[in-house]
Amino acid sequence: SQTIHQWPATLVQPVGSPLSLECTVEGTSNPNLYWYRQAAGRGLQLLFYSVGIGQISSEVPQNLSASRPQDRQFILSSKKLLLSDSGFYLCAFGREGMGNTIYFGEGSWLTVV
Amino acid sequence: EDQVTQSPEALRLQEGESSSLNCSYTVSGLRGLFWYRQDPGKGPEFLFTLYSAGEEKEKERLKATLTKKESFLHITAPKPEDSATYLCAVQAGTASKLTFGTGTRLQVTL
């Protein structure tokens, strides 16, 4: 069965510090990978998605970037965090053969102070 | 641009009191409509996918239906453990990404 792992679960970072959130998928190959952000009282906002190694599409201009160094690894990064980057970040994966369904990780809470 | 609107924003039910959550959508070329359950501080948990108008799916006390403009999530005789935020999302055109509504927070009390 397919599983998705995301870490760290919680982190508190000072303004101006770097960020790295990691996500790995097991049990499937060549998945589509996604990073979403969920702000309090708002829906999930798609930040980045990837259909293959090194292929990244950005949905919204922002202070963040994403990379896919391996088939089942997706990384969300920032060089200098802003207060507005605080939120709940969710990694997700899907495959066309899985009925187009997208499955989510447990999420990472980021607080920028 | 794809749009998804969920109502009500919040719903409080007594145990056993059945109700429905609404998800209305505007998309070009619907590929699928998805329902997820999200507990506080957790990632969304997949419930159902509906692909065409008239389709229905059931899981325990939940039943999802789809028309050309909206979807309903019917909750029959809910229990306190059904308390969660229920999210609706659409997948449209050739893209696999999901566009989400803001969710309905359901609280079921004894």
Side-chain angles (χ1 to χ4, degrees):
Chain A
S1 64
Q2 298 93 10
T3 58
I4 180 169
H5 303 282
Q6 182 180 344
W7 71 94
T10 306
L11 67 166
V12 180
Q13 296 284 99
V15 169
S17 66
L19 171 72
S20 180
L21 300 179
E22 296 194 31
C23 172
T24 60
V25 178
E26 297 177 357
T28 188
S29 59
N30 196 30
N32 295 327
L33 296 172
Y34 308 85
W35 279 111
Y36 281 85
R37 178 169 60 199
Q38 187 174 34
R42 301 184 64 181
L44 278 71
Q45 179 187 37
L46 180 63
L47 302 177
F48 302 95
Y49 69 95
S50 171
V51 298
I53 295 175
Q55 300 179 60
I56 308 294
S57 297
S58 175
E59 287 293 296
V60 292
Q62 57 206 316
N63 185 42
L64 302 168
S65 62
S67 61
R68 184 171 178 171
Q70 300 181 41
D71 181 46
R72 291 173 291 174
Q73 184 184 24
F74 207 22
I75 298 172
L76 184 68
S77 304
S78 174
K79 292 182 179 179
K80 290 185 178 182
L81 284 168
L82 306 172
L83 286 174
S84 58
D85 292 324
S86 295
F88 190 46
Y89 290 83
L90 290 155
C91 183
F93 77 99
R95 288 195 71 220
E96 295 301 322
M98 290 162 44
N100 305 325
T101 299
I102 293 175
Y103 298 91
F104 287 84
E106 285 298 299
S108 298
W109 282 101
L110 170 64
T111 303
V112 183
V113 296
Chain B
E1 183 179 335
D2 302 335
Q3 290 191 337
V4 180
T5 304
Q6 292 188 246
S7 61
E9 188 174 311
L11 181 63
R12 184 169 177 156
L13 300 173
Q14 287 194 321
E15 185 175 14
E17 180 186 3
S18 302
S19 188
S20 297
L21 282 54
N22 177 263
C23 171
S24 61
Y25 62 91
T26 304
V27 299
S28 178
L30 181 72
R31 294 181 72 194
L33 185 139
F34 299 78
W35 282 99
Y36 290 84
R37 169 192 170 126
Q38 186 175 26
D39 293 308
K42 302 290 187 181
E45 174 189 346
F46 170 71
L47 293 174
F48 304 109
T49 308
L50 301 168
Y51 295 103
S52 57
E55 189 175 1
E56 299 182 353
K57 288 192 176 175
E58 288 187 67
K59 180 180 180 180
E60 296 181 355
R61 295 176 293 281
L62 300 177
K63 178 180 175 181
T65 62
L66 180 66
T67 72
K68 289 186 178 181
K69 294 182 178 181
E70 59 190 350
S71 177
F72 291 93
L73 184 65
H74 306 279
I75 303 176
T76 302
K79 298 181 178 182
E81 53 261 43
D82 294 321
S83 298
T85 295
Y86 290 85
L87 299 169
C88 171
V90 295
Q91 199 175 60
T94 58
S96 62
K97 60 185 179 180
L98 296 178
T99 300
F100 280 85
T102 53
T104 294
R105 294 190 312 276
L106 174 66
Q107 183 180 12
V108 183
T109 59
L110 293 171

